[in-house]
Amino acid sequence: MTSRVVVFGVDGVGLHALRAAATPHLDSVAAAGFLAPVVLGDGSPTISGPSWATVARGVHPAKHRVFDNDLTGNALAVYPDFLARARAASCSTYAAAAWITLHATTYGGPIFSGPDFFVPDDPPDDPLWDRRDDAIAQNAATVLGSADIDVAFVYFGAPDVVGHNIGTGPEYNASIERADARIGRVLDAIRRRDSYGDERWAIVAVTDHGHADGGGHGGDSPEERAAWIATDVPGERDDLSLADIHPQVLTWLDIPIDPQWNLDGRSFAGCR
């Protein structure tokens, strides 16, 4: 069977907030594998840049040298992202995100390299990023529902934007639920693929940080440090790290991990 994997990045959704929201699609993913806490540590600030760099590169900030959303002075070139490693192994890749630091050279980026990004329009009348994330869900569903993509990264940023602009009240919970619905839309398209029965898909979802009570992040509160990983791949550990996403993607695709890469993360399962 052909192995494929999609990683959903959902920005700014702490574990406490996730558990308070109605997220049937993520619940279904976790029911087949696990939903597990990830406490941000290893010198990682509760900021998007460092956390997504850890997810992408498989090493902690001490190595990739990203400590803020300005990535200037980083060591990312030493640690290719998992999409780049997959392409080096002749795998096809896809990515979609609105946050510029993930895909552009602005502010010392990008966190993910390569020409494969779908970047939605940046409409001025979209302050909570719903139109951006809807466009991402539509494009990801179209591409992953039809093209033979081996590994994908699909990013939804609206919950973090709402947490900053409005706070962690009902609007924040509603934004998390809309993100879950977008994930469901993409998963539905994948499961309708003509070749789905001959494919072995891994679904992974991860956040970068939470929000303090009332909104905002960057501090050391438990709410800000309570990240998580959800997947339909069994293999939960009590010491999961954001750095584990990178080797897990490669393991699922049967790409050997060279010890000289000096990764910090470990895969949590090799097969289903």
Side-chain angles (χ1 to χ4, degrees):
M1 300 183 78
T2 302
S3 296
R4 306 191 192 280
V5 57
V6 55
V7 177
F8 293 102
V10 190
D11 204 301
V13 178
L15 184 59
H16 309 80
L18 181 69
R19 287 175 168 161
T23 55
H25 301 289
L26 284 173
D27 291 348
S28 178
V29 169
F34 63 83
L35 166 65
V38 175
V39 178
L40 295 182
D42 299 293
S44 182
T46 57
I47 299 172
S48 293
S51 291
W52 290 121
T54 296
V55 168
R57 307 292 171 141
V59 297
H60 296 302
K63 291 180 181 176
H64 62 57
R65 308 300 298 171
V66 174
F67 299 102
D68 205 336
N69 287 338
D70 186 340
L71 280 55
T72 304
N74 68 72
L76 294 177
V78 180
Y79 305 99
D81 62 85
F82 62 74
L83 296 178
R85 292 203 193 276
R87 286 192 296 272
S90 300
C91 292
S92 57
T93 66
Y94 166 86
W99 188 43
I100 191 170
T101 308
L102 288 169
H103 60 78
T105 57
T106 309
Y107 308 116
I111 290 174
F112 284 94
S113 62
D116 312 288
F117 259 92
F118 169 74
V119 180
D121 293 336
D122 190 16
D125 58 342
D126 186 32
L128 301 182
W129 281 36
D130 275 318
R131 286 176 57 187
R132 292 172 176 87
D133 280 6
D134 282 341
I136 286 170
Q138 179 177 348
N139 186 266
T142 298
V143 173
L144 299 184
S146 57
D148 289 334
I149 301 297
D150 296 310
V151 54
F153 175 70
V154 180
Y155 168 90
F156 296 119
D160 186 58
V161 174
V162 173
H164 280 291
N165 293 352
I166 298 178
T168 56
E171 293 91 344
Y172 178 63
N173 288 347
S175 185
I176 295 169
E177 292 170 359
R178 289 194 295 273
D180 180 75
R182 293 175 183 120
I183 289 172
R185 180 176 180 181
V186 178
L187 292 180
D188 285 346
I190 289 172
R191 291 163 181 156
R192 289 196 303 268
R193 291 171 55 85
D194 291 341
S195 55
Y196 183 73
D198 297 319
E199 296 171 336
R200 176 175 164 264
W201 279 86
I203 311 302
V204 181
V206 61
T207 199
D208 53 342
H209 56 72
H211 275 263
D213 286 345
H217 58 88
D220 291 323
S221 71
E223 291 77 15
E224 292 163 276
R225 290 209 166 273
W228 49 269
I229 294 172
T231 181
D232 61 352
V233 180
E236 181 178 352
R237 302 195 318 259
D238 60 6
D239 61 344
L240 284 171
S241 161
L242 295 183
D244 294 336
I245 300 293
H246 179 117
Q248 178 58 38
V249 168
L250 302 184
T251 297
W252 191 261
L253 297 172
D254 296 319
I255 297 173
I257 295 174
D258 189 333
Q260 293 187 5
W261 295 347
N262 200 22
L263 300 181
D264 291 327
R266 295 183 294 136
S267 60
F268 33 85
C271 61
R272 221 174 358 182

